């Protein structure tokens, strides 16, 4: 069993330009690659199960999506900083070591948004 939050779908040192209202950042890797990045090994049988997904973004985050081979596993279209956390699936989802997981994060770093958040 696998938790997508435990995969560490992380992109560090994001470059978001000042006053950019629509900065988009994505990162993709296969299940096997993500497991290896976290110190694990690919599933010995070639398959495993995902039990949930988690998301983490900061105040200027606007939307976060996690997909597997184009299929949506998590979509939070109007992000709130207070929603950092883990979401469990009703039923586990079967995944293959060769499946590609993609995280897509959208940010609003506009002056208007930062002012509304009290960041200016």
């Amino acid at each position: 069993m696998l938790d997508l939050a435990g995969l560490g779908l992380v992109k560090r040192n994001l470059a978001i330009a000042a006053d950019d209202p629509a900065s988009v950042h994505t990162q993709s890797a296969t299940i096997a690659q993500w497991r290896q990045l976290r110190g694990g090994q690919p599933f010995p049988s070639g398959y495993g199960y995902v039990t949930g997904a988690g998301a983490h973004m900061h105040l200027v985050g606007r939307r976060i999506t996690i997909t597997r081979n184009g299929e949506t596993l998590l979509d939070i279209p109007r992000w709130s900083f207070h929603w950092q956390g883990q979401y469990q699936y009703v039923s586990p989802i079967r995944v293959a070591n060769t499946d590609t997981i993609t995280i897509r994060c959208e940010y609003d770093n506009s002056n208007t948004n930062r002012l509304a958040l009290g960041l200016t």
Side-chain angles (χ1 to χ4, degrees), residues 23-88:
S23 183
V24 176
H25 296 267
T26 62
Q27 187 166 357
S28 298
T30 65
I31 291 286
Q33 289 168 328
W34 285 120
R35 289 179 57 85
Q36 289 172 332
L37 284 172
R38 302 291 291 167
Q41 296 297 317
F43 293 114
S45 68
Y47 295 92
Y49 291 88
V50 173
T51 58
H56 178 89
M57 288 197 306
H58 291 272
L59 292 172
V60 297
R62 285 290 153 247
R63 181 179 193 154
I64 189 165
T65 307
I66 300 174
T67 59
R68 178 201 57 176
N69 301 335
E71 172 192 11
T72 301
L73 299 177
L74 178 71
D75 183 22
I76 303 175
R78 282 189 246 145
W79 176 257
S80 168
F81 178 74
H82 305 289
W83 293 346
Q84 319 284 351
Q86 178 68 26
Y87 304 90
Q88 298 300 312

Side-chain angles (χ1 to χ4, degrees), residues 7-31:
L7 283 174
L9 301 173
V10 174
K11 188 172 186 178
R12 300 189 189 284
N13 302 318
L14 295 178
I16 301 174
D19 206 26
D20 184 349
S23 183
V24 176
H25 296 267
T26 62
Q27 187 166 357
S28 298
T30 65
I31 291 286

